[in-house]
Amino acid sequence: MKEERSLSLLQLMVNEGLVPSLEEEENRKTVIEKLKQIVVAWVKRVAWQRRLPKQDIAVTSATLLTYGSYGLGVHGSESDIDALCVGPYFATMVDDFFIVLYNMLKSRPEVSEIYCVKDVKVPLMRFVFDGILIDLPFVQLKVLVVPENLDILNPVFLRDIDETGWKSLSRVLANTQICRLVPDLKKFQSMLRCVKFWAKRRGVYGNLNGFLGGIHLAILAAFVCQCDPFVGLSALISHFFKKFAFWPWPRPVELQDETLHPTLNPTETRLYMPIRLPFSSYEYCHSNITKSTFYKIRTEFLRGHNLTKDLLKFDFDWHNVLEPFPYTKKYAWFLKIFLSASKQDELGDWVGWIKSRFCCLLFKLEEVQGLCDPNPAEYIDVNIADPHVIF
């Protein structure tokens, strides 16, 4: 019966378009390969502009490392691609990445809606390439040659990286370690697809809005896979809800890794839901979770547990677990934020600036008397409108 529940869940994911077709997969691979070629051409142009010796220009290179949902292999038909541009020691972010590479990309016929998001913790370029949205941050390594098959866990490549570069690189490191530490990668990928779909349906997905981001859910899912390596997909989902509905926050969640020393501090009280990054014994996932969003997340964990604690019930249905959150029934008031600009480029910069400070608005809203009820069943939902359709 549990196996049947797992198969029905896999079929539901296919029906919901969570699994891309072979054609869509090939299109993404083609986009990545084209971007890699552009990045290599870019770094050689920069080397020539810097008047490096001819032999250095000939051998220098750069590459792309994918991360996020695409890097973990859990992307859907509508997912974007997160890719880190890794450049050599002479390529700078300000002059070369945001100017030279930006102009090269902007001149390409496949590229549209390109803009730079600079004034954030992880600066990046955002653009559409052959119909796929790309987020492209940058890191500079202290080497002349960045191999295409870069082993990012090699300490040789991780020396003398500045704070901004480290924040960009940490996302790739986290993905790499998660894939290394889970006992069954395919089972983990299926589980994470389901968990992300649930989080989006129930309104608890999105670090920007004070909820769980992709990296948070990936580590939580990987943690459950480590705890229960021999159970099926349906049981993993059930255990996921049970474990985190009753987790003693703020005790951190951390993956089992024999290469890391145990933490000296068993709790992290600065964060509501501390989740340790899997490549460090002291760093945590960046989190915008607030008092109200913390209550909502725990309420949804508890709801999921109540609906999945008995998978063998005759009338069990995954559609009940994944039912969209009834916003119009739950709330009488909504806040919509409109952003406008005379030019598309200016709008992109404006959107990036607003999004980077969105969590500040959540904190301000929680300070308003009566707006945030401390009851765990009550919470705030704030959504930002799509900037691409508002002018």
Side-chain angles (χ1 to χ4, degrees):
M1 182 66 77
K2 287 185 178 179
E3 181 65 23
E4 183 179 317
R5 297 289 186 245
S6 297
L7 292 174
S8 66
L9 183 55
L10 289 170
Q11 186 59 50
L12 186 150
M13 287 193 291
V14 173
N15 296 343
E16 292 290 343
L18 303 183
V19 183
S21 65
L22 292 177
E23 182 180 352
E24 290 168 332
E25 283 288 81
E26 287 302 315
N27 185 35
R28 279 179 166 75
K29 290 179 181 178
T30 300
V31 167
I32 291 295
E33 287 305 312
K34 286 184 178 180
L35 280 174
K36 283 185 177 180
Q37 293 172 11
I38 294 172
V39 165
V40 171
W42 160 71
V43 83
K44 291 188 179 296
R45 178 180 296 186
V46 172
W48 178 82
Q49 292 174 344
R50 293 278 189 276
R51 298 185 178 181
L52 265 62
K54 289 184 178 179
Q55 61 270 24
D56 287 354
I57 297 176
V59 299
T60 191
S61 62
T63 192
L64 293 179
L65 298 176
T66 58
Y67 62 97
S69 61
Y70 185 80
L72 288 173
V74 296
H75 54 288
S77 302
E78 304 298 325
S79 299
D80 59 358
I81 294 178
D82 297 304
L84 177 65
C85 176
V86 186
Y89 74 93
F90 57 84
T92 66
M93 178 180 291
V94 175
D95 296 324
D96 302 317
F97 180 73
F98 278 131
I99 295 178
V100 180
L101 182 56
Y102 171 84
N103 289 328
M104 288 178 66
L105 288 169
K106 192 172 183 179
S107 66
R108 300 278 301 205
E110 310 100 317
V111 175
S112 62
E113 301 179 37
I114 183 169
Y115 60 92
C116 301
V117 184
K118 300 179 181 179
D119 191 18
V120 292
K121 293 181 179 180
V122 180
L124 53 82
M125 273 191 284
R126 179 167 291 156
F127 53 92
V128 176
F129 195 108
D130 276 342
I132 299 176
L133 180 63
I134 309 290
D135 276 355
L136 187 69
F138 171 75
V139 65
Q140 179 195 64
L141 301 186
K142 304 303 180 183
V143 295
L144 174 66
V145 180
V146 180
E148 182 178 0
N149 57 344
L150 174 66
D151 177 12
I152 202 58
L153 297 179
N154 188 333
V156 172
F157 297 110
L158 301 179
R159 67 180 192 272
D160 300 327
I161 296 176
D162 61 29
E163 183 179 358
T164 301
W166 184 254
K167 288 177 180 177
S168 300
L169 197 59
S170 66
R171 304 180 179 196
V172 178
L173 288 169
N175 268 36
T176 304
Q177 283 290 76
I178 289 170
C179 292
R180 184 181 72 85
L181 294 173
V182 292
D184 187 324
L185 183 59
K186 287 189 177 297
K187 193 187 296 184
F188 161 76
Q189 289 171 332
S190 296
M191 179 190 179
L192 185 54
R193 283 186 194 275
C194 298
V195 168
K196 287 184 69 174
F197 185 58
W198 160 81
K200 291 177 180 179
R201 280 288 186 94
R202 300 304 302 174
V204 292
Y205 184 80
N207 188 46
L208 174 71
N209 297 335
F211 295 109
L212 296 166
I215 185 62
H216 304 99
L217 291 172
I219 295 174
L220 296 182
F223 180 80
V224 175
C225 287
Q226 285 189 327
C227 293
D228 303 293
F230 304 113
V231 302
L233 175 61
S234 60
L236 280 175
I237 300 295
S238 177
H239 294 178
F240 173 85
F241 288 126
K242 180 180 180 179
K243 192 168 293 291
F244 298 117
F246 303 106
W247 186 263
W249 308 104
R251 175 184 170 187
V253 176
E254 52 188 314
L255 297 182
Q256 302 167 33
D257 185 358
E258 67 282 356
T259 65
L260 292 179
H261 297 293
T263 177
L264 297 176
N265 180 15
T267 62
E268 173 50 74
T269 56
R270 294 173 302 148
L271 304 173
Y272 282 98
M273 303 182 76
I275 300 171
R276 198 180 302 280
L277 289 167
F279 56 84
S280 171
S281 58
Y282 60 89
E283 289 186 70
Y284 294 84
C285 298
H286 172 71
S287 174
N288 290 326
I289 294 175
T290 68
K291 181 179 180 180
S292 60
T293 58
F294 172 71
Y295 285 147
K296 174 168 183 177
I297 294 169
R298 292 204 68 179
T299 300
E300 290 299 333
F301 278 145
L302 185 59
R303 174 186 177 274
H305 167 63
N306 289 332
L307 291 174
T308 60
K309 60 185 177 182
D310 188 359
L311 294 170
L312 303 184
K313 284 199 323 184
F314 176 76
D315 59 346
F316 178 85
D317 190 342
W318 285 111
H319 289 89
N320 295 331
V321 182
L322 303 172
E323 181 184 13
F325 185 84
Y327 288 100
T328 55
K329 293 181 179 179
K330 183 68 178 177
Y331 301 113
W333 296 89
F334 295 85
L335 173 64
K336 177 176 286 189
I337 299 174
F338 289 89
L339 304 178
S340 62
S342 58
K343 297 179 181 178
Q344 181 67 35
D345 290 346
E346 293 176 355
L347 178 63
D349 294 339
W350 183 221
V351 169
W353 191 90
I354 291 293
K355 285 186 173 182
S356 69
R357 289 154 179 80
F358 196 67
C359 60
C360 299
L361 174 61
L362 296 180
F363 286 116
K364 291 294 184 183
L365 289 174
E366 290 186 356
E367 292 173 359
V368 178
Q369 185 68 29
L371 186 58
C372 178
D373 191 322
N375 187 322
E378 301 295 331
Y379 28 72
I380 298 172
D381 277 292
V382 184
N383 293 299
I384 191 167
D386 185 353
H388 298 292
V389 298
I390 299 174
F391 296 91

